Amino acid sequence: MATKANGKVKELEGEVYYPSEEVVAQARLQDWEAVAEKARKDLEGFWADEANELEWFKKWDKVLDDSNKPFFKWFTGGRVNIVHNCIDRHLNSYRKNKLALIWESEDGKLERTFSYHALNREVNRMANIIKAMGVMKGDRVTIYMGRVPEIVFAMLACAKIGAVHSVVFGGFSVDSLQGRIEDSESKLVITMDGSYNNGKVVELKRTVDEALKRCPSVENVIVVKRVGHDVPMEAGRDHWYHDMLALPIANGKCPTEVLDAEDPLYILYTSGSTGKPKAIVHTHGGYMVGTYSTLKYVFDINDEDRWWCAADPGWVTGHSYIVYGPLLNGATSFMFEGGPMFPYPNRWWQCVEKYGITILYTAPTAIRGLMRFGEAWPNKHDLSSLRLLGSVGEPINPEAWKWYYRVIGKERCPIMDTWWQTETGMFMITPTPSVPLKPGSGTRPFFGQEAEIVDEQGNPVADDQEGYLVLKNPWPAMLRTIYGDPDRYVNQYWSKNPGKYTTGDSAKRDSDGYFWIIGRVDDVIKVSGHRLGTAEVESALVSHPAVAEAAAIGLHHEVKGQGIHTFVLLRNGFAPSPELAEELRQHVATHMGPIARPEDVKFVDKLPKTRSGKIMRRVLKARAQGLPEGDISTLEE
Ligand code: WTA
């Protein structure tokens, strides 16, 4: 990369990192403008060409069906299964013997690798087992696991037989798990005895047992052995995975179900502006085309690459870019069980060196966390295999961007800052490797997309003005609805700005057309890139006997991006104390998961509310930051 335009590219405003001649020469796509123009002129033609690079049992009749907006459909009439393109199609090529997945345990003592051939075998076995348990097309299966290869098998096994997976992040705890199992009415839960987190065991099976006390829909639980802890197994309901694998039913091929392009692939719960987390629905056809195409263009995935998406499969980033996108592209993916800092802050750099990782995709919070430990740790390792870096989940501050660029990428590797959401399924605002970069900006919308910044009334604002980010065109990997709640889908995303998708983010666009994401405008808090809702934290707090009312807000945090701060009104008979504050923090961690542990608990006599009784978190936030409280005309006396 260079800091000057090389004559072929336009000069841009501000601090710009231009791609070097070498990067441009290597890039699959050298002329970004030409592809953008093609997609602008013919959106359906662009996506049809992308879809044609994959295999269909039967081609679609229509690329985009917008006859019932905002319930868009893609590739209608097409017959497909995402697993056919993730695995089956590679078995007829040289990729059969190529590594699909490389895995290393947290402690570095175990290494497991799977070729496409082996991945196919494992997915068939898991699919045979879940089918034998009576799981059928359309049934929901909850997957609650750590970062191990079996979570990938489980997701693909569901997809293969047309069942709908609902992965719950293994860092969530009993309330979050129970709510999601209940809402999805899952028949089957796939879990593990426990998973490792920074050297400690997370007791996943025990949490499942606790949750299932209140989930009557669940008939069977499959338990993968990982840590070897003794866990209670309920006869008739709980089955060790290794016992099932030894049964004759596990053997042999399980046919890949021929599905409709619009058949659901998975649901994934995410926090919205209000109330309970909602289940975002993604489909086989459109999601497949979107994740395939975005990974291909943005990270320029090639056969020689070793791709590492360091997210967790429990979040959308893991769904789209650990599991589906890389396999659709026939790539080799690396999956690491642990985190970046355990036991030392060189754990990731050891892995990059050991496996020759060429592309690393992670979140700003990890970069900031690693930055604190200085350059000596990465400098101990040979990182010369890297050729591209990526960032996702929250805005990356320019200091972190520059550290990542200089210390990890050695000023050679462009950083793909990809803005997207659980709902979008795929990258939406993102560079490609040959695009000039500005630290902190995701540059421009992906091909076929137009984004806009609007004011409260929905009118476009001027360049460099902050406003609400909306998307103007449909895209194939878009969410189709909220599972079981189509009205909420319409209200949440399509009613504020008719005809446009409301993202829930605020942003600016500069005079070069580059977008700068500022943050959420709703009650979503991004803690270390994890998406949490104020409502969930509040309901965990009020489930404690001492708490009458509670409010949660997100405030800037040096490493996590945002931290959770809470305000609590106690019931009669309870007195504020540091011990009680600590107990309440722990209570939230126990019920929701350690990631949701509040930074602090402040005891208050009253909470600012509207006359209709809604907590005005905006006012709490302004007060906490010492800022003006804004319009408080609706504040109750
Ligand atoms: C934020 C994660 C700035 C944003 C894939 C969005 C980002 C929310 C970026 C979605 C980025 C994601 N720059 N902000 N590159 N990527 N966000 O559903 O606020 O967990 O609305 O999806 O994360 O979070 P979600």
Side-chain angles (χ1 to χ4, degrees):
M1 292 252 275
T3 43
K4 272 210 160 16
N6 61 19
K8 285 182 230 149
V9 263
K10 202 173 97 190
E11 287 280 349
L12 302 179
E13 297 284 322
E15 189 178 12
V16 187
Y17 289 68
Y18 293 93
S20 64
E21 302 262 359
E22 193 192 345
V23 164
V24 176
Q26 263 188 12
R28 169 182 266 113
L29 191 100
Q30 287 162 29
D31 196 350
W32 186 92
E33 285 299 341
V35 183
E37 185 57 22
K38 171 182 155 190
R40 205 173 296 136
K41 283 206 182 113
D42 181 10
L43 180 74
E44 293 187 43
F46 170 77
W47 286 115
D49 286 351
E50 294 301 311
N52 269 321
E53 293 181 9
L54 297 164
E55 290 181 4
W56 297 73
F57 301 126
K58 173 184 169 285
K59 285 276 161 80
W60 54 91
D61 303 322
K62 214 166 169 359
V63 175
L64 170 63
D65 175 355
D66 59 0
S67 57
N68 184 26
K69 290 176 198 165
F71 296 94
F72 296 91
K73 290 181 179 160
W74 285 83
F75 306 107
T76 47
R79 306 286 284 167
V80 75
N81 186 312
I82 198 168
V83 175
H84 176 82
N85 281 293
C86 286
I87 304 178
D88 306 8
R89 87 178 166 110
H90 303 308
L91 303 177
N92 301 318
S93 79
Y94 64 93
R95 285 188 181 137
K96 178 175 180 176
N97 296 318
K98 178 182 169 175
L99 288 187
L101 185 64
I102 304 172
W103 176 87
E104 181 168 304
S105 63
E106 182 176 79
D107 62 10
K109 289 183 184 150
L110 292 174
E111 193 182 307
R112 296 167 73 192
T113 55
F114 301 88
S115 64
Y116 276 89
H117 174 82
L119 178 66
N120 181 50
R121 179 187 65 228
E122 297 306 322
V123 172
N124 271 289
R125 295 167 93 192
M126 180 84 89
N128 283 328
I129 290 168
I130 66 178
K131 220 170 162 175
M133 287 182 167
V135 174
M136 297 202 289
K137 183 182 161 196
D139 286 343
R140 274 81 54 213
V141 174
T142 294
I143 300 175
Y144 179 63
M145 300 173 77
R147 273 196 293 265
V148 292
E150 283 80 4
I151 190 171
V152 179
F153 308 158
M155 290 165 74
L156 293 166
C158 289
K160 189 175 177 71
I161 66 167
V164 178
H165 61 71
S166 168
V167 180
V168 178
F169 173 54
F172 275 131
S173 196
V174 60
D175 289 3
S176 311
L177 175 64
Q178 184 247 322
R180 286 159 171 80
I181 297 176
E182 207 171 41
D183 186 77
S184 64
E185 298 171 301
S186 291
K187 267 187 166 171
L188 171 68
V189 175
I190 307 178
T191 188
M192 300 159 66
D193 52 353
S195 64
Y196 288 105
N197 183 27
N198 296 329
K200 291 200 258 332
V201 170
V202 182
E203 302 278 357
L204 296 176
K205 173 64 165 64
R206 284 180 195 275
T207 304
V208 169
D209 289 341
E210 201 49 44
L212 290 194
K213 288 182 183 160
R214 292 167 285 163
C215 298
S217 64
V218 175
E219 296 161 6
N220 289 294
V221 178
I222 295 177
V223 189
V224 174
K225 191 180 220 131
R226 170 70 186 103
V227 300
H229 276 195
D230 228 4
V231 291
M233 296 291 281
E234 192 177 300
R237 188 195 71 182
D238 301 348
H239 318 271
W240 284 111
Y241 187 52
H242 55 264
D243 288 342
M244 308 291 299
L245 282 177
L247 300 175
I249 48 133
N251 295 328
K253 290 226 157 49
C254 171
T256 302
E257 200 72 33
V258 176
L259 302 171
D260 196 278
E262 282 290 307
D263 275 336
L265 167 62
Y266 68 78
I267 56 177
L268 183 57
Y269 286 85
T270 191
S271 305
S273 49
T274 50
K276 285 200 300 187
K278 48 193 195 287
I280 302 301
V281 178
H282 284 296
T283 58
H284 273 259
Y287 178 82
M288 170 181 85
V289 176
T291 52
Y292 164 74
S293 172
T294 45
L295 190 61
K296 179 186 71 174
Y297 286 119
V298 175
F299 285 101
D300 224 345
I301 284 274
N302 289 313
D303 262 327
E304 299 76 32
D305 278 313
R306 288 205 162 173
W307 160 256
W308 182 6
C309 167
D312 192 280
W315 302 97
V316 76
T317 306
H319 281 57
S320 296
Y321 300 111
I322 293 178
V323 181
Y324 293 109
L327 296 174
L328 288 166
N329 279 281
T332 298
S333 256
F334 173 63
M335 186 188 212
F336 176 50
E337 187 181 37
M341 269 43 113
F342 182 82
Y344 300 107
N346 64 334
R347 198 61 188 90
W348 275 9
W349 317 128
Q350 281 176 332
C351 290
V352 168
E353 180 172 4
K354 178 170 173 193
Y355 296 102
I357 302 299
T358 57
I359 315 172
L360 174 66
Y361 183 45
T362 184
T365 184
I367 306 297
R368 287 191 298 261
L370 290 162
M371 255 171 93
R372 287 188 309 171
F373 293 97
E375 298 176 25
W377 290 102
N379 287 347
K380 277 196 226 242
H381 298 275
D382 177 3
L383 306 181
S384 62
S385 58
L386 289 171
R387 66 177 190 91
L388 281 175
L389 300 172
S391 176
V392 61
E394 45 169 329
I396 181 162
N397 46 314
E399 305 77 67
W401 194 100
K402 288 178 196 168
W403 190 86
Y404 195 25
Y405 180 68
R406 182 174 59 80
V407 179
I408 307 306
K410 312 291 182 208
E411 303 186 352
R412 282 185 301 106
C413 309
I415 300 175
M416 303 295 106
D417 180 357
T418 60
W419 176 89
W420 58 297
Q421 308 177 303
T422 307
E423 291 87 341
T424 70
M426 64 182 221
F427 307 145
M428 297 304 287
I429 297 179
T430 174
T432 61
S434 61
V435 164
L437 303 173
K438 302 188 189 187
S441 167
T443 76
R444 292 166 292 184
F446 187 72
F447 308 126
Q449 193 47 257
E450 268 181 85
E452 200 171 62
I453 312 289
V454 299
D455 63 17
E456 194 63 50
Q457 285 71 43
N459 303 312
V461 302
D463 284 349
D464 299 315
Q465 296 292 307
E466 181 175 345
Y468 302 101
L469 176 68
V470 299
L471 303 174
K472 291 172 71 175
N473 299 333
W475 63 99
M478 65 198 300
L479 77 164
R480 296 303 191 266
T481 187
I482 291 174
Y483 178 72
D485 202 348
D487 292 343
R488 194 164 165 198
Y489 166 70
V490 177
N491 291 335
Q492 173 105 27
Y493 303 106
W494 301 96
S495 61
K496 190 151 192 312
N497 299 284
K500 295 171 191 165
Y501 170 86
T502 300
T503 64
D505 278 10
S506 65
K508 289 181 196 177
R509 182 174 50 202
D510 70 18
S511 53
D512 291 319
Y514 276 40
F515 286 81
W516 301 78
I517 306 295
I518 296 162
R520 298 290 305 190
V521 286
D522 54 12
D523 297 325
V524 169
I525 309 181
K526 278 283 181 142
V527 183
S528 304
H530 299 320
R531 180 164 162 180
L532 302 172
T534 52
E536 297 152 80
V537 179
E538 290 161 6
S539 81
L541 280 169
V542 296
S543 73
H544 187 283
V547 178
E549 285 184 69
I553 58 169
L555 293 176
H556 175 75
H557 184 285
E558 214 42 53
V559 174
K560 299 180 188 173
Q562 283 191 305
I564 302 175
H565 296 260
T566 62
F567 301 85
V568 161
L569 208 106
L570 292 175
R571 285 183 191 281
N572 284 339
F574 291 90
S577 71
E579 293 73 34
L580 182 56
E582 191 44 42
E583 185 179 322
L584 293 175
R585 291 176 67 222
Q586 185 51 42
H587 182 80
V588 176
T590 309
H591 283 253
M592 261 187 89
I595 46 164
R597 186 194 304 274
E599 299 297 318
D600 62 13
V601 173
K602 282 207 173 65
F603 297 104
V604 293
D605 300 330
K606 71 176 193 196
L607 290 166
K609 284 189 190 162
T610 62
R611 273 176 287 248
S612 58
K614 278 206 203 111
I615 296 172
M616 294 179 83
R617 297 188 191 83
R618 175 174 67 74
V619 172
L620 284 170
K621 213 167 159 164
R623 283 180 192 165
Q625 294 169 305
L627 294 171
E629 293 184 7
D631 179 9
I632 48 168
S633 57
T634 57
L635 194 69
E636 88 186 332
E637 288 307 308

